[in-house]
Amino acid sequence: MPRFLSLIRIDEQQASEFRSDPGFEQRMGALFKEITKAGVMLDTAGLLPTKEGTRLLWDGGKVSCTDGPFTETKEVVGGYALLQCKDKAEAVEWTRRFLETHPAHWHVGAELRQIDEGTASPEA
């Protein structure tokens, strides 16, 4: 079965204003229980703010490093989920349901990408 990476995108400048509604934790917990029981969720986590991160760039034969925060970037990856689904439609449905658990006043997006299983892994 194919695997998909769901990159959860947030506006880091507004993240401190995110207030959950009374049922948010319960909705998220129920969804995580269901998706895990279905054998779809392989891994998930939130990420620390960009002020804790470092960007590395290969350019002109050299690697440069820039420590966060990355204020020029409005939308950042705030978390991820690694899903194993029968097809893209199923991955889209689970990701849609994840987004719908969030309070309506939040601005949260997701980029869903199928993992290229044809690429050799380091263990191969």
Side-chain angles (χ1 to χ4, degrees):
M1 285 198 334
R3 294 180 300 158
F4 296 85
L5 183 63
S6 179
L7 301 168
I8 308 307
R9 298 190 172 273
I10 62 169
D11 180 341
E12 193 171 55
Q13 307 302 321
Q14 294 180 345
S16 62
E17 300 171 19
F18 287 175
R19 293 174 311 284
S20 60
D21 59 42
F24 174 64
E25 297 295 329
Q26 186 176 21
R27 290 190 310 273
M28 189 63 73
L31 178 66
F32 279 7
K33 183 176 180 179
E34 182 182 353
I35 195 171
T36 301
K37 186 176 180 181
V40 170
M41 180 72 75
L42 301 178
D43 191 26
T44 188
L47 301 176
L48 293 175
T50 61
K51 69 181 178 182
E52 305 291 328
T54 301
R55 286 187 177 160
L56 290 84
L57 176 65
W58 172 254
D59 186 33
K62 295 187 212 174
V63 175
S64 62
C65 298
T66 305
D67 289 332
F70 311 117
T71 55
E72 73 282 358
T73 305
K74 181 178 177 184
E75 195 175 77
V76 300
V77 176
Y80 72 93
L82 182 58
L83 310 172
Q84 187 166 6
C85 301
K86 64 182 179 207
D87 55 26
K88 184 177 180 180
E90 182 184 16
V92 168
E93 177 63 17
W94 282 112
T95 302
R96 182 191 62 76
R97 289 183 59 196
F98 169 78
L99 292 175
E100 288 177 345
T101 64
H102 293 79
H105 65 277
W106 287 22
H107 179 80
V108 181
E111 179 180 338
L112 188 63
R113 308 276 302 273
Q114 185 170 347
I115 295 173
D116 182 357
E117 304 290 356
T119 304
S121 66
E123 298 93 35

